[in-house]
Amino acid sequence: MSALDGTLVSSRQWPTPTLRRRRSDPSNNSLHYNSSRRSGGWRAPEAAVIPNFHLPMRSLEVKNRTSTDDIKSLRLITALKTPYLPDGRFDLEAYDALMHLQILNGAEGVIVGGTTGEGHLMSWDEHIMLIGHTVNCFGGTIKVIGNTGSNSTREAIHASEQGFAVGMHAALHINPYYGKTSADGIISHFEAVLAMGPTIIYNVPSRTGQDIPPSVIRTVAQHANTAGVKECVGNDRIKEYADGGIEVWSGNDDQCHDARWGFGARGVISVTSNLVPGLMHELMFEGKNSTLNSKLMPLIEWLFREPNPIGLNTALAQLGVIRPVFRLPYVPLPREKRIEFVNIVKELGREHFVGDKDVQVLDDADFVTIARY
């Protein structure tokens, strides 16, 4: 039907177009319509590689510029929790207190807005603001690694540009999740973001639904900005990378001691160090210590009984170092598990945990859950 006069137009008046590549100019990757097929038959278009002309956006005067080797040397990196006010905004006072405790207890780096920090529940404005705040307040003392990964390459590029512009030392990048791609697509995705600056690749198939195969890691590891891999598949994979000269951090707190001292891991990117940073520092810095590792197992197992960061959020609230505020879809652990945490603290010793208030069992009514913020 014509958009102007409402008359019907038969589709037979129009030839059915077919796609072909313009053959007169091999460098021309554009596609053109033709009303008839050539005698040779239709030929599938080939992928065109479009250079990232806009990269890099970064200035040569970026604050806290660091080298990839500086990131490779880190042994204890904490995936930091993001605390909230009762209206759902960031509680920067509590956040700064958590940061100070990490620095005082020997953490060398922090992941800002990672899975533990609930970056997936933030707008990009919130996310970049928190990275910038962390850099401005603590960037001279501890390495700030911003989680600027995304399943959209365009968003990952833009967030990384902004993160480095506000001074983060390195980026953490995950492979595209849900809308999974091919191995070649994963490589292209990482190569697009590696141009920005030092980067840790994050492999966690339990969340992405897709393992990053070693062949992909070996390819992207050749890029000068690849600092290494946060690996959650297990210690055999960690040993494979370490033996091949690729820096790797354990992403599993329950395996990190053996990964560090038996399989060649540089260290750990830890959730548990939010709670007991001094003990995790000892585990990573002071040699093999199976006794301490065993003592930490009940805490680590408790933390990950439900998907992270549910256990951590509940624990920090009961220690009195953050307000008991949850952004949905996260909700606190049930009362019996909250009681169990109090007993774990008493067994390990309250002095090893962050904060200076007595650990307590919070009531259901003490918690605030927020859907809109």
Side-chain angles (χ1 to χ4, degrees), residues 269-326:
I269 298 178
S270 175
V271 176
T272 309
S273 56
N274 279 274
L275 297 173
V276 286
L279 295 182
M280 291 303 296
H281 182 275
E282 184 177 343
L283 209 61
M284 291 295 103
F285 281 76
E286 298 184 18
K288 190 173 182 179
N289 190 337
S290 298
T291 300
L292 175 58
N293 189 53
S294 296
K295 286 182 178 179
L296 286 170
M297 279 304 124
L299 172 63
I300 294 171
E301 291 169 0
W302 180 90
L303 269 178
F304 293 97
R305 222 170 274 165
E306 295 289 350
N308 181 49
I310 295 170
L312 177 64
N313 293 354
T314 305
L316 288 171
Q318 294 205 143
L319 289 168
V321 294
I322 67 169
R323 290 176 170 86
V325 178
F326 283 66

Side-chain angles (χ1 to χ4, degrees), residues 96-154:
D96 292 351
L98 291 175
M99 280 293 309
H100 279 296
L101 289 168
Q102 292 300 315
I103 293 169
L104 289 173
N105 285 279
E108 298 173 301
V110 288
I111 304 292
V112 178
T115 305
T116 305
E118 301 177 19
H120 48 287
L121 303 186
M122 300 177 189
S123 68
W124 279 119
D125 284 345
E126 287 182 312
H127 208 140
I128 300 303
M129 181 275 281
L130 191 61
I131 292 171
H133 170 80
T134 309
V135 168
N136 287 330
C137 295
F138 307 101
T141 308
I142 195 169
K143 297 302 181 189
V144 178
I145 303 163
N147 171 33
T148 53
S150 173
N151 61 345
S152 161
T153 305
R154 180 181 70 90

Side-chain angles (χ1 to χ4, degrees), residues 183-184 186-188 190-191 194 201 212-224 226 241 246:
D184 287 343
I186 297 173
I187 291 171
S188 296
F190 285 141
E191 287 178 342
L194 279 164
I201 304 299
I212 306 175
S215 59
V216 169
I217 294 298
R218 285 192 292 268
T219 299
V220 299
Q222 298 173 34
H223 196 289
T226 302
Y241 293 150
I246 299 171

